[in-house]
Amino acid sequence: MSETKQDTTGAIERAIDALCDTPTLLLLEGAWLGVKRFDEFQQKTGLMKAMVSSRLKKMVEIGVLYKSAYCQKPPRYEYLFTEMGLDLFPVAMMMLDWEQTWSDQEGRIQVSLSHSVCKAGNVKPVCSCAECNTEVRIQDVEHIIHAESGAAIGGYSKRRRQAGLDRKSTVLFDEISEIFGDRWLSLLIRAAFLGSKRYDTFLEMTGISSNILVSRLNLGIEKGLFVKRAYQSNPERFEYLLTEKTYALYPILLFLVKWGDCWFGESAKNSVELVHKACSEKLAPQISCSHCGKEMTVFNTSFKVAEPKS
């Protein structure tokens, strides 16, 4: 039974399983800020040594990072992005943009982006269609769900919600790491983007156990991601509707889908096909510069960090 479920697991679910874990996201944040060494990762994230070690090891095994020796005796290593890791650039940019738009920035460092193509500074990353170069919004995308999508998450690790972490050093992905760091909440948001509104459809589309489903729906309401609305009074039944705050998360999932398709696509079935209604083409999202409209990549984008004012 587990083997059958493994065969139907989609690329996006594998991407979520690989990345959607709070400590992993905090370590990736550090890597984007230039952290390379074990002690620096621990200092930046506030995570326990054992957790830093296990998550770095996992990212090396997946292929997101690789180890490079900088000292032979005793052996010491730096953790650097592979091509697979650099390909997460659009995900990181959309997470950064969401965090700076929707989270409280008081006492937080500020990051400004510059685009070398147009020489402009303080630009914003825009999720756009590579085919027609227009901004992509969820209402502009047709989601064609294939039959196997309902069994998507079977066979993947069931993580407990990460709680009690020392988050004092988190400077960029603070709320994002809480949302996408909980893979069950991530899967609920994905199901909602695909049209799920009610308890039974969430249960069917995700395969989450009923007690976890209830706790994550309540967590989503607490964080302002879902609004609970009664659609039936006797017996009482509710719908869980997305907020504007949640719709703004859509580009992050789009780029997780793209990353999963690229790096897990051959060994994972893609349960959802995305079509951009504006051009009627299969959606290929890219990051565009808010100033010139040209593509932003890890090679033509730089960022400047400003420490918070004391």
Side-chain angles (χ1 to χ4, degrees), residues 217-231:
L217 285 172
N218 288 336
L219 178 62
I221 293 170
E222 176 188 328
K223 290 186 172 297
L225 303 175
F226 293 105
V227 173
K228 187 177 181 180
R229 184 183 72 180
Y231 69 88

Side-chain angles (χ1 to χ4, degrees), residues 55 192 215 237 246-247 252 261 302:
R55 297 312 192 272
S215 71
R237 296 286 187 270
T246 320
Y247 282 125
I252 299 173
D261 283 347
S302 58

Side-chain angles (χ1 to χ4, degrees), residues 44-100:
K44 175 65 69 175
T45 63
L47 298 171
M48 299 290 289
K49 283 186 177 182
M51 191 171 288
V52 174
S53 178
S54 68
R55 297 312 192 272
L56 288 176
K57 180 180 179 181
K58 178 183 177 182
M59 284 190 280
V60 169
E61 290 174 348
I62 293 170
V64 172
L65 301 175
Y66 71 94
K67 293 168 65 174
S68 176
Y70 67 89
C71 179
Q72 298 298 328
K73 293 183 180 181
R76 295 288 185 270
Y77 299 93
E78 292 180 330
Y79 294 85
L80 308 174
F81 278 122
T82 61
E83 181 183 355
M84 184 186 195
L86 291 176
D87 206 28
L88 284 168
F89 172 78
V91 177
M93 290 300 97
M94 288 291 95
M95 285 183 170
L96 172 63
D97 185 65
W98 187 93
E99 193 78 47
Q100 292 187 329

